[in-house]
């Protein structure tokens, strides 16, 4: 269960979901929902009621260099978890350092 949670996701969309008790985290690619639930409960001391996971597929990127060549590559694929906590509980992501 080591290194299941990589970082919290702090975007406009996920921050709006915080009011409904849903929080987003980038997680390890091989982590399952049970491991994610235990890690969030242990780290933040809340009761998790639901965990939804999704794989965010990397996309193609390209850029032009100074010499006129075009370099292309791919961003990495990562896994995201949306965690729903029990009614009335909150996770203060900014308090963790």
């Amino acid at each position: 269960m080591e290194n299941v949670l990589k970082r919290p996701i702090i975007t406009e969309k996920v921050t709006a979901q915080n009011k409904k008790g849903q929080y987003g985290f980038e997680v390890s690619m091989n982590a399952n929902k049970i491991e994610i639930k235990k890690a969030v409960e242990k780290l933040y001391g809340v009761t998790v009621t639901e965990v939804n996971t999704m794989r965010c597929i990397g996309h193609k990127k390209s850029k032009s260099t100074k010499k006129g060549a075009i370099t292309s590559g791919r961003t990495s694929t990562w896994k995201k978890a949306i965690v729903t906590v029990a009614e009335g509980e909150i996770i203060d992501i900014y308090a963790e350092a």
Side-chain angles (χ1 to χ4, degrees):
M1 194 167 70
E2 213 173 281
N3 297 333
V4 174
L5 299 177
K6 291 185 177 180
R7 64 180 181 94
I9 299 172
I10 304 170
T11 61
E12 206 170 318
K13 187 173 184 178
V14 174
T15 305
Q17 290 180 324
N18 291 354
K19 295 172 186 162
K20 295 188 286 185
Q22 295 179 332
Y23 299 88
F25 295 95
E26 181 180 344
V27 296
S28 176
M29 282 293 287
N30 56 1
N32 61 31
K33 292 182 180 186
I34 297 167
E35 292 172 340
I36 295 167
K37 178 181 177 178
K38 288 180 182 177
V40 171
E41 287 178 344
K42 182 179 178 185
L43 185 63
Y44 294 105
V46 295
T47 305
V48 175
T49 58
E50 188 178 359
V51 178
N52 297 315
T53 59
M54 61 199 85
R55 291 176 60 225
C56 300
I57 307 297
H59 57 277
K60 291 182 182 178
K61 291 183 90 173
S62 60
K63 66 177 181 178
S64 299
T65 62
K66 288 182 180 178
K67 295 184 178 183
I70 297 176
T71 305
S72 62
R74 199 164 183 88
T75 60
S76 57
T77 300
W78 56 288
K79 190 172 186 177
K80 175 169 52 173
I82 303 296
V83 176
T84 306
V85 297
E87 188 75 29
E89 294 187 352
I90 60 167
I91 295 176
D92 191 6
I93 293 171
Y94 300 106
E96 296 295 319

